[in-house]
Amino acid sequence: MNTYKDYLIEIEERKSQGLHPKPIDGAELLSDIINQIKDVDNEFREDSLNFFIYNVLPGTTSAAGVKAKFLKEIILGESKVEEISTEFAFELLSHMKGGTSIEVLLDLVLLGKDIKIAKQAAEVLKTQVFLYEADVERLENAYKKGCPISKELLESYANAEFFTKLPEVEEEIEVVTYIAGVGDISTDLLSPGADAHSRSDRELHGQCMFEHNKEMQQELLALKEQHPDKRVMLIAEKGTMGVGSSRMSGVNNVALWTGVSSSPYVPFINIAPVIAGTNGIAPIFLTTVGVTGGIGIDLKNWVQQKDENGKTIVDKDGEPVLKQMYSVNTGTVLTINTKEKKLYSGNVELKDISAALTPPKMEFIKAGGSYAVVFGKKLQTLACKILNIDIPQVYAPSKEVSIEGQGLTAVEKIFNKNAVGTTPGKILHAGSNVRVEVNIVGSQDTTGLMTSQELEMMAATIVSPIVDAGYQSGCHTASVWDDKSKANIPRLMTFMNDFGLITARDPKGQYHAMTDVIHKVLNDITVDDWDIIIGGDSHTRMSKGVAFGADSGTVALALATGEATMPIPESVKVTFKGEMKSFMDFRDVVHATQQQMLKQFGGENVFQGRIIEVHIGTLTSDQAFTFTDWTAEMKAKASICISEDDTLIESLEIARDRIQIMIDKGMDNANQMLKGLVDKANTRITEVKTGIKPALTPDGDANYYADVVIDLDEIAEPMIADPDVNNDDVSKRYTHDTIRPLSFYGGTKKVDLGFIGSCMIHKGDMQILAQMLKNIEAQQGEIEFKAPLVVAPPTYNIVDELKAEGDWEVLQKYSGFEFDDSAPKGLARTKYKNMLYLERPGCNLCMGNQEKAEPGDTVMATSTRLFQGRVVKDTGEKKGESLLSSTPVVVLSTILGRTPTMAEYEKAVDGIVLTKFKPSQKQLVS
């Protein structure tokens, strides 16, 4: 009874927070509850019944296993519970989503002697989709032995009755609008990074919606109360919804506040949110909306004005002039017509929304989310194979776009190689929607607990054999080893280790914990330029292969099935001309790419939602990653680096050798997943060297949405991405599109803190930092920091290499703090001294969930995040601002305590090779 009493204590604690009892996922607690149910005189029996029926997490949680077995006892008459009839027991099993519940139902069908019970169990099984190969194998064996019910089940699966018998999507869905913000809305607004620790506790995490803004939460509740028969549509007015990350927890929060309950017997899991933005939904966030069977609408209610020549009209600041086409002010009632695929205000048609209601998306809506469709298709395929019949066309056919005589872009080539279930021999172009095999899958630590929950709910127990490698990181919780991390991270690492992933921390403590930034690790373990990578972070954008940032659920799906379903995106080709000036950093090229692209296309972001195919040529994957990483901020779907053969070989050799270091540290698993990657790397290197299969290039006659040519001669000074926090137009604040030259600040803008770290830097940046400190000391006689400088190397490999080569010793000389893995920080730093901090490898300030700058600070950082409150919070007197720039600018800004002038900058970098980048002299096409 101790576990139940502990649960009661926890319930009282949660009451004080305005929370309901936490959903049960543990076997021991549920076993105690079942014993109390069996004891008809037990004082806790009524509450125990409610907990058993309504408060147990489904799937493969240990509690779900106990629940399913007890329901089996009730069905077989071995246990009697007056309140749970046989029919009700079957209903409860039908909501348990696989795992032990499927095992129980199959037992009742195949092993039971009561034909009535067997038929009841079969009827429930016909509604289930989370069956795995072992479950289907049991049915196949029974079918071969002549079992009629197993044949009936297989025929039902072959016809996908689990999908066809679901209710159709409502023809009209009435919504009432709620403007959650003006301008781009970061997922931090919906699920703040500082609350990452609570994401797996959905009700608790729901309290952080709108960054804990209770006034907004109350407005939303009042709107729901005024319109009980409508759904609330959350809107980013004059902006894009969900920029910054996939953030499954953000969609979960929106669904919790505005959506529909997925099951009366599963608490706090809501589906079907409706989300919109003037400029649509950020690509990876839109994928997450699909996971929940939601609707994401591109409103286009504000449009750029054109002159008589079709050119964009701009204001005095050079910004496009917008005109409102229709109002979506908070409280506006609209109708989504799913049949006509139109958005209406009363009888007035506002917009065609076909893109939000494509046949695949309609299937997600009907099935309550994309998982059920993915697993349903797989189950249908397995059943038809056993019955030796053609697959009936139940689901919308994969959209196959093939244009005769047109070559292939790089992404089209990768998708054609990895496609599953498409018409044999058919060449696919952009616009096709296909299933693809996934090679590399990454899970990060602040979403990992959600991924583990998703895996449990889809009853998965082991990583798919199709996946070359899966990795669980520890980077987002690296900077502070606090009580929340100590409670969550070991549990996460144990689960993922058991599931078959390579884990940053060894649950058995046999190798040193690695807190390397996940994108850097995935970049290293990707050893084929034809790979597809899925990762639980928006910056999953590799410089080899094509990588897609994804929500925790899509990551779980990729781990469990080795597949993903997505459209082949259009591509934008980026090439370079001219020559870089010696004092420019490659980060300046990255920012200039965004600036010049917007200028070339009249303010239209042609990158948004598309693949950026960057012809990087001679830059190895470590440095090229700086470009691909930033493409998340360009709002691109993904990016692909086109490299020369020799460059690709060098990149693959670097990756292979780093994987070997992981093996030498003892990180490989029983299946020798890492050794398999080394073998794969060696094979690919041989292919390129021998010319059997050169580096991936597009065809010369491929079709692109746009061609962007970046003129390096135009980059005359460092470029800074500015959040423009005081812009009169709120929609222009906190975007990544305001790129300014260093001279804009006149050498006078005060800088309160500098940050060098996270995924945007590589070993070269750390070397530049060391060389600059030596330069400045030689010029000034000493180093004096007038602002704190926080340095977080992205990986331990970099630290080890810097130590071996002497640069780490230089950094130690000037530092006032150096991380100690034997005694990691237990508390986040809230105050900083004017000195150099050498922090543990990991995300640090960029994540914003542990460390932050002091409120109101102006931060100069190498990171990717400039959203409001992410790196630095506002004060009542001053807005915090995070300016993003190159390593040399950050170093000099902290030494000066202000932005440098060009003369100061050039002097500080004199003699330092900042980058060796130059445009390729080869035509990188097939």
Side-chain angles (χ1 to χ4, degrees):
M1 279 261 301
N2 282 342
T3 54
Y4 187 74
K5 287 183 176 177
D6 290 343
Y7 190 49
L8 293 181
I9 293 170
E10 182 190 68
I11 287 171
E12 289 304 312
E13 291 171 351
R14 289 174 71 86
K15 271 185 187 177
S16 65
Q17 299 173 272
L19 300 171
H20 295 86
K22 193 173 182 180
I24 298 165
D25 61 3
E28 188 177 356
L29 172 58
L30 194 64
S31 296
D32 282 350
I33 285 171
I34 288 171
N35 288 333
Q36 289 168 182
I37 292 171
K38 289 179 178 180
D39 179 4
V40 294
D41 296 322
N42 192 282
E43 63 176 314
F44 301 115
R45 187 173 182 276
E46 185 177 347
D47 284 343
S48 295
L49 260 171
N50 283 328
F51 290 142
F52 178 82
I53 294 170
Y54 299 107
N55 210 45
V56 178
L57 290 179
T60 56
T61 64
S62 58
V66 171
K67 181 172 181 175
K69 287 173 182 175
F70 185 50
L71 291 170
K72 181 182 179 182
E73 289 178 19
I74 292 172
I75 290 166
L76 294 176
E78 297 168 1
S79 290
K80 185 170 178 58
V81 178
E82 186 179 343
E83 295 86 350
I84 303 176
S85 64
T86 299
E87 287 72 21
F88 189 35
F90 273 122
E91 183 182 352
L92 290 174
L93 281 170
S94 75
H95 286 259
M96 291 186 64
K97 286 190 161 185
T100 308
S101 65
I102 298 296
E103 180 186 330
V104 163
L105 289 165
L106 285 171
D107 286 348
L108 294 172
V109 168
L110 303 177
L111 304 179
K113 296 177 182 177
D114 188 318
I115 189 66
K116 181 182 176 184
I117 287 176
K119 285 184 175 180
Q120 285 178 289
E123 288 305 307
V124 175
L125 274 171
K126 288 177 184 178
T127 68
Q128 304 297 296
V129 294
F130 292 103
L131 277 74
Y132 285 83
E133 281 80 355
D135 302 314
V136 178
E137 189 178 341
R138 287 187 69 186
L139 281 175
E140 181 180 12
N141 291 336
Y143 166 67
K144 288 177 178 177
K145 291 176 183 177
C147 172
I149 297 184
S150 63
K151 181 184 180 185
E152 182 185 325
L153 274 168
L154 288 169
E155 288 174 342
S156 175
Y157 293 150
N159 290 310
E161 290 181 349
F162 43 72
F163 177 75
T164 60
K165 292 190 174 183
L166 290 171
E168 293 301 322
V169 178
E170 303 163 82
E171 185 173 330
E172 291 189 341
I173 299 172
E174 281 200 307
V175 297
V176 57
T177 61
Y178 182 77
I179 293 179
V182 178
D184 288 354
I185 290 183
S186 161
T187 49
D188 266 3
L189 180 75
L190 311 175
S191 167
D195 292 88
H197 63 278
S198 66
R199 286 176 183 166
S200 58
D201 185 346
R202 294 197 185 200
E203 188 191 17
L204 173 59
H205 194 70
Q207 293 191 333
C208 73
M209 178 79 156
F210 303 135
E211 292 186 321
H212 296 273
N213 187 319
K214 300 303 178 186
E215 185 177 334
M216 289 180 70
Q217 291 175 5
Q218 290 303 315
E219 286 175 356
L220 191 60
L221 291 175
L223 200 62
K224 288 174 67 177
E225 193 173 331
Q226 291 168 25
H227 301 273
D229 57 336
K230 300 174 183 65
R231 291 195 228 169
V232 174
M233 180 164 75
L234 219 62
I235 295 174
E237 176 78 319
K238 290 188 180 178
T240 303
M241 175 65 82
V243 299
S245 65
S246 51
R247 205 58 67 91
M248 186 78 210
S249 53
V251 171
N252 285 345
N253 275 352
V254 176
L256 189 65
W257 283 86
T258 69
V260 179
S261 174
S262 65
S263 164
Y265 310 114
V266 181
F268 311 120
I269 297 181
N270 284 11
I271 58 174
V274 184
I275 299 173
T278 291
N279 297 326
I281 319 294
I284 56 173
F285 194 63
L286 186 58
T287 301
T288 316
V289 173
V291 167
T292 61
I295 301 173
I297 298 176
D298 187 358
L299 292 170
K300 289 287 187 288
N301 57 314
W302 291 86
V303 298
Q304 292 183 6
Q305 294 303 286
K306 307 285 184 180
D307 62 19
E308 61 273 12
N309 298 317
K311 294 187 69 174
T312 302
I313 301 171
V314 297
D315 61 20
K316 58 182 176 60
D317 298 318
E319 298 291 344
V321 174
L322 302 178
K323 179 182 178 182
Q324 188 180 47
M325 305 306 291
Y326 58 93
S327 172
V328 291
N329 289 342
T330 294
T332 304
V333 174
L334 303 173
T335 301
I336 296 169
N337 189 301
T338 61
K339 185 177 180 180
E340 297 178 13
K341 304 189 188 310
K342 302 281 179 66
L343 182 67
Y344 285 94
S345 175
N347 295 320
V348 179
E349 179 185 324
L350 300 180
K351 190 176 186 306
D352 183 288
I353 54 172
S354 300
L357 300 169
T358 61
K361 289 178 181 177
M362 288 292 286
E363 288 174 348
F364 295 166
I365 297 168
K366 177 177 177 177
S370 58
Y371 297 168
V373 174
V374 173
F375 274 86
K377 288 180 178 179
K378 187 171 183 178
L379 182 55
Q380 184 190 29
T381 301
L382 289 171
C384 289
K385 185 177 180 181
I386 293 168
L387 295 172
N388 195 27
I389 61 173
D390 292 335
I391 301 173
Q393 192 67 59
V394 170
Y395 294 100
S398 293
K399 187 179 179 183
E400 297 184 353
V401 176
S402 186
I403 304 170
E404 189 174 347
Q406 180 176 300
L408 298 173
T409 64
V411 75
E412 288 169 342
K413 286 189 174 184
I414 293 175
F415 269 68
N416 274 279
K417 174 186 177 291
N418 293 282
V420 177
T422 55
T423 303
K426 191 169 186 178
I427 302 299
L428 304 178
H429 288 87
S432 301
N433 195 302
V434 293
R435 288 163 58 202
V436 289
E437 290 188 356
V438 176
N439 306 97
I440 305 291
V441 185
S443 169
Q444 54 102 327
D445 39 328
T446 52
T447 60
L449 286 170
M450 293 168 60
T451 298
S452 66
Q453 280 187 339
E454 301 286 353
L455 288 167
E456 287 177 327
M457 288 185 191
M458 60 179 70
T461 56
I462 191 168
V463 65
S464 168
I466 296 172
V467 174
D468 289 333
Y471 177 72
Q472 173 61 59
S473 82
C475 57
H476 288 70
T477 52
S479 55
V480 183
W481 193 234
D482 55 17
D483 290 341
K484 293 167 184 173
S485 299
K486 290 173 185 175
N488 290 332
I489 303 307
R491 181 160 52 98
L492 171 63
M493 295 295 166
T494 298
F495 180 95
M496 291 301 190
N497 195 284
D498 292 343
F499 199 81
L501 277 70
I502 303 299
T503 51
R505 291 178 178 275
D506 179 20
K508 302 178 183 66
Q510 293 177 355
Y511 58 79
H512 184 274
M514 187 169 81
T515 56
D516 293 358
V517 175
I518 181 172
H519 333 305
K520 292 293 190 181
V521 178
L522 295 183
N523 198 43
D524 284 340
I525 68 175
T526 300
V527 290
D528 194 330
D529 46 331
W530 291 79
D531 276 357
I532 291 179
I533 305 98
I534 297 288
D537 195 288
S538 59
H539 289 95
T540 304
R541 289 152 190 272
M542 304 301 102
S543 47
K544 300 183 293 292
V546 63
F548 298 94
D551 58 276
S552 55
T554 300
V555 169
L557 200 61
L559 286 171
T561 66
E563 292 184 8
T565 300
M566 62 184 90
I568 303 179
E570 294 177 299
S571 293
V572 175
K573 185 177 182 179
V574 174
T575 54
F576 304 91
K577 68 177 183 178
E579 188 175 339
M580 285 195 71
K581 294 171 177 60
S582 62
F583 50 82
M584 289 294 95
D585 186 88
F586 187 63
R587 177 69 180 255
D588 302 317
V589 176
V590 173
H591 286 180
T593 297
Q594 190 158 348
Q595 184 192 53
Q596 291 188 28
M597 175 273 294
L598 290 169
K599 184 179 178 181
Q600 287 173 33
F601 291 89
E604 178 194 354
N605 183 355
V606 297
F607 292 151
Q608 183 163 344
R610 300 184 177 93
I611 302 293
I612 299 178
E613 184 184 285
V614 54
H615 289 233
I616 211 81
T618 59
L619 207 59
T620 58
S621 61
D622 271 14
Q623 298 170 69
F625 186 84
T626 305
F627 190 101
T628 58
D629 201 31
W630 185 257
T631 59
E633 272 52 67
M634 296 175 184
K635 300 180 184 176
K637 182 80 172 173
S639 62
I640 295 179
C641 287
I642 307 301
S643 298
E644 295 181 5
D645 285 353
D646 290 344
T647 305
L648 177 62
I649 290 168
E650 186 180 352
S651 294
L652 292 171
E653 288 173 341
I654 292 169
R656 176 198 61 196
D657 295 346
R658 286 180 181 159
I659 296 167
Q660 187 59 52
I661 290 171
M662 294 171 72
I663 294 172
D664 294 342
K665 287 181 177 179
M667 295 182 70
D668 212 352
N669 58 19
N671 294 329
Q672 294 191 299
M673 185 175 272
L674 294 177
K675 183 182 181 301
L677 292 177
V678 170
D679 294 341
K680 184 176 177 179
N682 285 327
T683 298
R684 185 69 187 113
I685 290 167
T686 300
E687 288 175 344
V688 180
K689 281 184 174 179
T690 58
I692 295 172
K693 190 178 180 182
L696 170 68
T697 54
D699 291 332
D701 55 351
N703 184 62
Y704 295 91
Y705 178 82
D707 280 279
V708 178
V709 180
I710 303 305
D711 189 348
L712 300 177
D713 291 332
E714 288 187 13
I715 311 173
E717 53 183 305
M719 310 296 287
I720 295 173
D722 192 320
D724 205 9
V725 299
N726 296 310
N727 194 312
D728 292 337
D729 185 343
V730 178
S731 70
K732 300 292 197 312
R733 299 176 190 172
Y734 305 106
T735 77
H736 288 80
D737 293 342
T738 302
I739 309 292
R740 289 172 169 155
L742 182 63
S743 59
F744 174 87
Y745 304 96
T748 60
K749 187 174 179 65
K750 186 174 183 290
V751 173
D752 300 299
L753 182 140
F755 174 55
I756 294 173
S758 196
C759 49
M760 284 295 284
I761 68 166
H762 53 88
K763 180 183 173 184
D765 289 276
M766 301 296 292
Q767 292 170 319
I768 289 167
L769 166 60
Q771 291 171 49
M772 284 189 70
L773 293 176
K774 288 189 287 187
N775 255 18
I776 294 167
E777 184 176 46
Q779 293 166 7
Q780 299 182 2
E782 63 174 351
I783 294 289
E784 180 187 352
F785 288 96
K786 293 184 179 174
L789 176 57
V790 178
V791 177
T795 68
Y796 280 93
N797 278 345
I798 288 174
V799 175
D800 291 342
E801 290 170 24
L802 292 171
K803 286 179 177 177
E805 296 164 13
D807 286 309
W808 191 258
E809 188 177 333
V810 175
L811 301 182
Q812 286 175 313
K813 173 184 174 182
Y814 300 110
S815 72
F817 171 86
E818 182 179 357
F819 74 91
D820 180 358
D821 277 333
S822 65
K825 283 186 300 183
L827 291 172
R829 191 175 282 114
T830 57
K831 295 285 183 183
Y832 297 83
K833 297 178 181 178
N834 290 345
M835 66 182 195
L836 171 63
Y837 294 83
L838 289 176
E839 293 284 0
R840 195 181 203 178
C843 298
N844 204 276
L845 283 166
C846 187
M847 180 57 191
N849 63 320
Q850 292 185 322
E851 301 277 69
K852 280 188 183 290
E854 293 183 42
D857 272 0
T858 292
V859 180
M860 187 71 76
T862 61
S863 68
T864 59
R865 297 312 198 198
L866 49 67
F867 303 119
Q868 187 172 21
R870 178 66 176 249
V871 172
V872 55
K873 291 182 178 180
D874 299 339
T875 66
E877 296 74 39
K878 184 181 180 300
K879 291 180 180 293
E881 51 186 334
S882 177
L883 286 79
L884 308 180
S885 63
S886 66
T887 292
V889 171
V890 175
V891 176
L892 200 50
S893 295
T894 55
I895 288 173
L896 297 171
R898 57 172 172 80
T899 53
T901 63
M902 271 303 295
E904 290 168 329
Y905 172 82
E906 289 187 58
K907 185 178 180 182
V909 299
D910 184 48
I912 300 174
V913 178
L914 298 177
T915 179
K916 294 181 178 179
F917 175 66
K918 59 181 179 180
S920 177
Q921 299 304 303
K922 300 178 180 179
Q923 285 291 316
L924 300 177
V925 294
S926 301

